[in-house]
Amino acid sequence: MRIYAWFAGLLLAWELIARLAFGDLYILSPPTAILLRILEDFPLYCRALGTTVLEALIGFALGNLAAILLAILVVALPPIERLAQAIALVVFCLPLVATGPVLRVIYGPGWGPQITLAALSVYYTTFVPLVVGLRAVPPNWLDLIASYGRGRMTAMTVVRIRASLPYLVASLKIAAPAAFLGAIVGEFTGADRGIGVLSIQAMRSLDVDGTWALATIASAVAIIGYALVGWGGRLLAIGAPPTLLVSPKARAPQVLWKRIGIAIGAPMLSIAVVLLLWQVSMDALDLSRFFAKRPGDIWTYLVTGGQAAAHRSELFAALGATMIVTIPGYFAGLGLGAVLAALFCLLPTVEKIASPVAIALRSIPIVVTAPLLVLALGRGQLGMLVIVAVMIFFPTLVSCLHGLRQAPGQVIDYFNSFRAPPLTQLFLARVPAMLPSLFAAARMAVPMAVLAATVAEWLATGTGIGNLMALTSSTSNYNMLWSCVAILTLVSVTGYMLVAMLERRVLSHFAPEQVIQ
């Protein structure tokens, strides 16, 4: 009852603030106005919602299926992991703002771009935590299976998959709203129906009530998806987590030349394969060079062409404006998610009250909230920072909360036997168990932060590389558009690799089973 009373009080406060403080600003709609607009346009919203939900569901299924298969493959065959990770990462880092128009040209009319972007939005957020889960197995379990003469297939089906189920559920919770966002971005590229189409119309006509009504509907759908995934996860629960905090196995030290070869050769091989796939895919589909640029075209445009210096200057100026807000927003969202997860772990009552708000903040598509946040906070760095932080904090919150709960029950019992206070248990037992999930969230958050910043620039602020991509797309300057795609992908991959390097050093002490030699 307390939760319902708190929720009713929140709605009442929202109503009063919207009418008294923002009545003449056309920024915040009161709940009553939102409800009236939903009832007024209910048939229209139902038709649009049905289209977007179906697109998101298909993309959700395809993206997560690809993620599950790829995660099982890289854990079963460790030698291919670095290459597979690199290719998967590059595809995930492609900015939706730029790939959407290109996909629309390739697919033409229909659901193709919406489904593809929905799948691209979810596959990596499932792939990364699932790999962590498949490795979250005490080595003595694998030794036991080997002692019975069983191989990798038995270890995968009997031990690894069961151990990974909680991680899979946590990642699917993140994927539910992400698929919806991807479908909406796809609808922005020229679809004829859907929530994204109505959102564009509402924003262009400054229909604040309509924008908030669509945001409310999107939040409700995403929260329902989140709840359904959680319900399915509880059905699949396998009990208390196993002992994950194990002593590292003694490893034979690698010779220096081999370590240097891996450090240099693996990235170079990955870059070569990605460029080859880029060239081959464009040629195999016989796509026109007018819009489907090849690596050589971008090299000429930015490096060897007559106007290359001017092109680089324009590109890097826009990139700098974007990174100024993306980097602080990334760390703000990451820190907020981790701190809230710790607070929820210490105070379960706070979690029950605040979780719906946290889910709603992440569930409202950024393409809907970005213009409103910019109107409320201005077109400066503060508004952009808030948008990026909101995009980052919810996946971090879900991952870290799951990691905190993975602390082995035996370890918690040991602390309880000494009457250790909750804070001591948090820092000495739960936080070490959380580190793999935290770093997984930190890696996934890098391209998410870039996505949030570029979408906000594309729709609302008129600055940065997101705005540059919008302008070049509308003027058919595909050389600059593909250059933006390439540089943003490179920035995202570089940030991801820096986080991965730090993760490797930390987890080699706290979770050595997660480190691949």
Side-chain angles (χ1 to χ4, degrees), residues 82 254-271 497 501 504 517:
R82 285 187 173 89
Q254 290 183 334
V255 294
L256 180 60
W257 68 265
K258 185 176 181 181
R259 287 185 357 206
I260 295 175
I262 292 175
I264 298 176
M268 297 299 294
L269 177 61
S270 300
I271 292 172
M497 291 177 64
M501 289 171 59
R504 185 181 181 85
Q517 297 297 320

Side-chain angles (χ1 to χ4, degrees), residues 35 72 90 92 105 157 165 219 246 299 447 491:
L35 179 60
I72 293 175
V90 168
F92 181 64
V105 174
T157 56
L165 287 179
S219 296
V246 296
W299 180 263
V491 167

Side-chain angles (χ1 to χ4, degrees), residues 13 20 66 142 146 156-157 162 198-199 206 255 303 416 425 515:
L20 299 179
L142 301 179
M156 181 66 69
T157 56
R162 293 188 64 198
L198 295 183
S199 298
L206 298 180
V255 294
V303 180
N416 287 333
Q425 296 185 26
V515 178

Side-chain angles (χ1 to χ4, degrees), residues 130-153:
L130 189 56
V131 170
V132 173
L134 289 170
R135 292 201 186 116
V137 177
N140 55 339
W141 287 18
L142 301 179
D143 293 340
L144 178 63
I145 290 177
S147 69
Y148 281 89
R150 301 303 178 94
R152 291 181 178 178
M153 182 60 67

Side-chain angles (χ1 to χ4, degrees), residues 10-37 206-216 372:
L10 178 64
L11 289 178
L12 179 60
W14 180 0
E15 182 79 23
L16 294 175
I17 292 173
R19 293 195 179 278
L20 299 179
F22 294 93
D24 299 327
L25 297 180
Y26 301 100
I27 295 175
L28 182 64
S29 292
T32 53
I34 295 172
L35 179 60
L36 288 175
R37 174 55 65 88
L206 298 180
D207 182 2
V208 178
D209 289 345
T211 301
W212 277 97
L214 291 166
T216 302
L372 297 174

Side-chain angles (χ1 to χ4, degrees), residues 299-321:
W299 180 263
T300 300
Y301 185 75
L302 292 178
V303 180
T304 62
Q307 300 295 320
H311 297 156
R312 290 196 305 270
S313 176
E314 181 182 10
L315 178 62
F316 288 122
L319 178 65

Side-chain angles (χ1 to χ4, degrees), residues 356-382:
V357 178
I359 296 169
L361 284 174
R362 178 59 181 88
S363 300
I364 301 175
I366 190 174
V367 293
V368 176
T369 56
L372 297 174
L373 287 173
V374 169
L375 281 174
L377 301 174
R379 293 177 177 267
Q381 296 181 4
L382 177 61

